[in-house]
DNA sequence: TAAGAAACTTAGAATTCTTACC
DNA sequence: GGTAAGAATTCTAAGTTTCTTA
């Protein structure tokens, strides 16, 4: 657990225990009538009756420490202050330039309703529905427009190549800033998806995700390889030969012993419990105390293996690479509506120990090996059904084209379903992404009205409406997540609707500000959200009312949950949900900050700095943090060392320069004059390098615990960035790497420099 | 209608690959 | 050429929303 991102096990405990305690109360009083879960109880007590206030009281618990006193590093303060700055003001509306007509064709592919599968057979008559592939292929070669059943060989070898280079006319590529392929890295077409400008096609019928889907099924984790005899496990100082089943699980743990997880009691307890389940009776009898287990040789063995891999010859490495590529070629792609598309995660998750984040009560449990018999395959009826590994069969094969997944299985830790789905650059994902940003833009058009409405609702006579209105204000102003209710057996984290009294503090006055709300809670992934925000008086007063007669463990918004909230939002704008506000505010912030920060006279690095700062403002708004990188302080020290050395060098250079000038003054020879010039140049160079290092240092420090990637990938309408690049002549490669350019190909093609979110 | 299941997006960590620097 | 730093990629947990079922 390094750095700022303490995942607060302690604070967490306080939450948890409070939860437990009131849950226990609940059990004693009301339970048994209904099924079981605390959540059930929770939500029913929350919204069902008019006496919910009383119920709240009853639900509340003796709260020892309300939330923990968190330990702040100085830089984390910095982050917070900065966040406060960025977050304070609600985004001011900017006039929209684009009107409905500017919205490209695919924008009309909006919301889809879940419908009965529309099987390929249903549309076998080629002429009616405009199947995208057909459009493409008809353009290129009428004969290939016929739906084609591909056999395995056909599928696995090379995809039907698109014939026309026309399709590749992505506007940004007309700029003279091509990404030159690296030497020795010739592109293997079998390792690429075909370019499919799906946004120029017409969409499928509502609810229909594909017409044809063919794939090879998932790639299973390699079988367990028993340890060589010389690698031993010890119990109580004596070597013990484990059964293969027990050994495999021991290896999961042994490989992790350097990790912080193995110092956690919950992790260790869960591990031991599950480990014992796979032991034979003799092992069960003997191995009872984890503290007496010695996994060191196992750990060393895998470290050594990793070293060996690193030290392998070039040829050896190449061989492995080839083998991997072969797997990707076979399993990494599917054919969907006659286009070859990359799959996102075609490998079945290997067995191991569950790495739940934060105070997850199930961390350390054994994640079981998934077998073909656990896997459901989803593909076209008329496609070759993927073959299960020899001697096995699939759990089920279905043909449901109202969903986008290729394979699914149920994992044993939480009982949730896992899916194999397409890569982010695929049509299926891209289209969804596009629609997401369109919905956010739609919100922009009516956000003023919505804001006016919720402000009005702060005065409502009805508590539920006031709560809803204040929650909306938080979601809008602070970009909080919706905050669903959670199961008991997960980490105790919250979002807007599930915030508890203990998570906020009210200050009539704090420093020089009035009506300050201090938030302190653990959000998604147990990342701490800490913020002090000056709010409007009415919000403040409402919060005081919401908190009256409640205990720290009670819900702040006891008359609200995400379903109620989203239902209301839906009534305000079609497609509006809580998370749209996050997308909307993030994209708006980027656009605003770019306008504010970009200087068109700057050089490219200068503009990039502006871009990154705008990106950073969004990351702060959305509270995207990361653990301080490993060796961060060491790296900073090294950098400081370099800077110090460079400073000395600058000093020396200055001295040399002065000396050369003195020499020249004494004797004005050509040599001396040249020497002066030379020394001047050296000085300039040294100064420039010093400056560069100093900027690097600032940058590194500022980015210490902020993650930029998440917002870039998920929240920022890529057309804003593309337009910015075009407007300010910054090559797109500067802001998006290859993968990102693939994901945002639609935006790169669509957006012109005057695009407005 | 509400709870639970299913489907899909968002998230940071871990791992691997590439580049920069000595 | 070796190493460290940084970037890219992979991995999968943890959310939100939507759909289904009782």
């Amino acid at each position: 657990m390094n750095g700022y991102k303490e995942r607060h096990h302690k604070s967490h405990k306080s939450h948890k225990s409070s939860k437990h305690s009131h849950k226990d109360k609940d059990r004693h009083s009301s339970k048994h009538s209904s099924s079981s879960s605390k959540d059930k109880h929770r939500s029913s007590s929350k919204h069902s009756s008019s006496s919910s206030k009383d119920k709240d009281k009853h639900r509340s618990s003796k709260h020892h420490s309300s939330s923990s006193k968190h330990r702040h590093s100085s830089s984390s303060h910095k982050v917070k202050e900065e966040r406060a700055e960025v977050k304070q003001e609600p985004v001011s509306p900017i006039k929209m330039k684009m009107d409905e007509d500017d919205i490209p064709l695919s924008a009309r592919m909006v919301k889809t309703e879940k419908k009965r599968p529309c099987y390929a057979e249903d549309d076998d008559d080629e002429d009616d529905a405009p199947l995208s592939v057909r459009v493409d292929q008809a353009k290129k070669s009428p004969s290939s427009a016929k739906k084609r059943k591909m056999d395995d060989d056909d599928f696995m070898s090379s995809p039907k190549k698109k014939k026309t280079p026309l399709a590749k006319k992505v506007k940004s590529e007309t700029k003279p800033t091509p990404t030159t392929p690296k030497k020795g890295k010739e592109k293997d077409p079998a390792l690429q998806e075909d370019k499919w400008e799906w946004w120029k096609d017409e969409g499928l019928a509502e609810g229909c995700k594909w017409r044809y889907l063919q794939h090879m099924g998932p790639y299973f984790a390699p079988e367990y390889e028993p340890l060589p005899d010389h690698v031993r496990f010890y119990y109580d100082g004596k070597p013990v030969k484990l059964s293969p089943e027990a050994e495999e699980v021991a290896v999961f743990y042994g490989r992790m012993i350097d990790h912080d997880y193995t110092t956690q009691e919950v992790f260790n307890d869960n591990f031991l419990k599950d480990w014992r389940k796979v032991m034979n009776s003799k092992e069960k009898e003997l191995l009872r105390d984890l503290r007496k287990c010695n996994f060191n040789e196992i750990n060393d063995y895998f470290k050594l293996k990793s070293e060996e891999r690193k030290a392998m010859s070039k040829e050896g490495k190449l061989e492995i690479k080839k083998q991997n590529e072969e797997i990707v070629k076979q399993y990494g792609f599917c054919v969907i509506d006659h286009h070859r598309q990359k799959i996102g995660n075609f490998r079945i998750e290997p067995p191991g120990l569950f790495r739940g984040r934060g105070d997850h009560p199930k961390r350390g449990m054994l994640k079981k090996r998934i077998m073909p018999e656990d896997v459901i395959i989803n593909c076209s009826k008329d496609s070759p059904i993927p073959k299960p590994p020899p001697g096995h069969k699939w759990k089920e094969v279905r043909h449901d084209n109202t969903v986008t997944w290729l394979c699914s299985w149920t994992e044993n830790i939480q009982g949730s379903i896992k899916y194999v789905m397409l890569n982010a650059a695929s049509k299926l994902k891209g289209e969804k992404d596009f629609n997401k940003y369109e919905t956010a833009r739609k919100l922009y058009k009516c956000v003023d009205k919505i804001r006016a409405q919720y402000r009005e609702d702060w005065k409502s006579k009805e508590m539920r409406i006031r709560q809803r209105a204040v929650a909306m204000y938080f979601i809008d102003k602070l970009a909080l997540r919706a905050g669903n209710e959670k199961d008991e057996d997960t980490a105790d984290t919250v979002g807007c609707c599930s915030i508890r009294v203990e998570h906020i503090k009210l200050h009539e006055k704090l420093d020089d500000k009035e009506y300050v709300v201090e938030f302190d809670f653990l959000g998604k992934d147990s990342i701490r959200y800490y913020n002090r925000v000056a709010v409007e008086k009415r919000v403040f007063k409402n919060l005081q009312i919401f908190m009256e007669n409640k205990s720290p463990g009670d819900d702040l918004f006891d008359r609200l949950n995400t379903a109620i909230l989203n239902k209301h939002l839906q009534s305000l704008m079609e497609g509006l949900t809580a998370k749209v506000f996050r997308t909307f505010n993030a994209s708006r912030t980027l656009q605003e900050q770019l306008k504010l920060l970009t200087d068109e006279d700057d050089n490219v690095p200068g503009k990039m700095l502006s871009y990154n700062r705008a990106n950073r403002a969004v990351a702060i708004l959305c509270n995207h943090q990361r653990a301080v990188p490993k060796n961060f302080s060491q790296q900073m020290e090294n950098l400081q060392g370099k800077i110090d050395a460079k400073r000395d060098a600058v000093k020396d250079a200055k001295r040399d320069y002065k000396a050369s000038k003195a020499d020249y003054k004494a004797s004005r020879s050509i040599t001396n004059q040249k020497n002066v010039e030379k020394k001047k140049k050296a000085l300039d160079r040294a100064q420039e390098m010093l400056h560069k290092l100093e900027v690097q240092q600032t940058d590194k420090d500022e980015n210490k615990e902020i993650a930029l990637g998440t917002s870039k990938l998920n929240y920022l309408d890529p057309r804003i960035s593309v337009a910015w690049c075009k407007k300010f002549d910054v090559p797109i490669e500067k802001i998006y790497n290859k993968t990102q350019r693939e994901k945002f190909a639609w935006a790169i093609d669509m957006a012109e420099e005057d695009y407005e979110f």
Side-chain angles (χ1 to χ4, degrees), chain A residues 457-472:
Chain A
D457 287 346
W458 293 340
K459 297 179 252 175
S460 170
K461 285 198 185 94
E462 283 188 77
M463 184 62 75
R464 64 175 185 96
I465 292 179
R466 284 195 192 202
Q467 290 195 355
R468 196 179 68 193
V470 171
M472 279 175 70

Side-chain angles (χ1 to χ4, degrees), chain A residues 270-286:
Chain A
N270 284 332
F271 162 69
L272 185 60
K273 213 166 140 195
D274 277 5
W275 188 24
R276 289 176 59 78
K277 285 180 196 160
V278 300
M279 289 178 190
N280 60 32
S281 49
K282 238 171 111 185
E283 288 162 343
K284 260 186 213 161
E285 186 57 39
L286 178 67

Side-chain angles (χ1 to χ4, degrees), chain A residues 43-57 462-464 467 558-559:
Chain A
S43 63
S44 64
S45 83
K46 230 177 160 183
H47 321 289
S48 55
S49 76
S50 56
S51 64
S52 67
K53 261 268 144 72
D54 299 350
K55 284 183 182 166
D56 286 335
K57 267 183 217 163
E462 283 188 77
M463 184 62 75
R464 64 175 185 96
Q467 290 195 355
D558 54 290
R559 312 288 172 91

Side-chain angles (χ1 to χ4, degrees), chain A residues 68 83 114 120 123-124 134 137-138 216 221 361 523 534-535 560 570 577 657 713 722 739:
Chain A
S68 66
R83 177 205 293 141
K114 184 102 182 172
D123 355 86
D124 258 346
R134 267 179 234 145
Q137 293 181 336
M216 292 288 284
V535 300
L560 185 69
Q570 198 65 234
T577 62
Y657 174 53
L713 237 49
V722 171
T739 313

Side-chain angles (χ1 to χ4, degrees), chain A residues 421-450:
Chain A
M421 286 184 184
L422 292 187
N423 179 273
S426 65
K427 176 213 175 191
L428 238 33
K429 296 285 182 189
E431 201 171 87
K432 207 67 192 303
D433 218 30
F434 172 83
N435 285 333
K436 173 180 77 183
Y437 292 114
E438 287 306 295
T439 308
R441 294 174 80 203
K442 205 165 102 190
L443 172 58
Y444 180 32
K445 289 184 180 169
C446 57
V447 75
D448 288 342
K449 228 173 115 187
I450 290 171

Side-chain angles (χ1 to χ4, degrees), chain A residues 2-3 75 626-640 696-706:
Chain A
N2 48 19
S75 56
R626 58 169 184 170
V628 177
K630 261 185 199 162
N631 312 325
F632 183 83
S633 53
Q634 183 61 56
Q635 285 169 21
M636 279 312 256
E637 265 174 41
N638 292 350
L639 194 54
Q640 188 58 54
Q696 196 184 335
Q697 188 185 37
T698 316
D699 225 43
K700 200 177 163 94
D701 192 42
E702 282 179 0
N703 243 21
K704 182 177 173 186
E705 41 205 1
I706 296 176

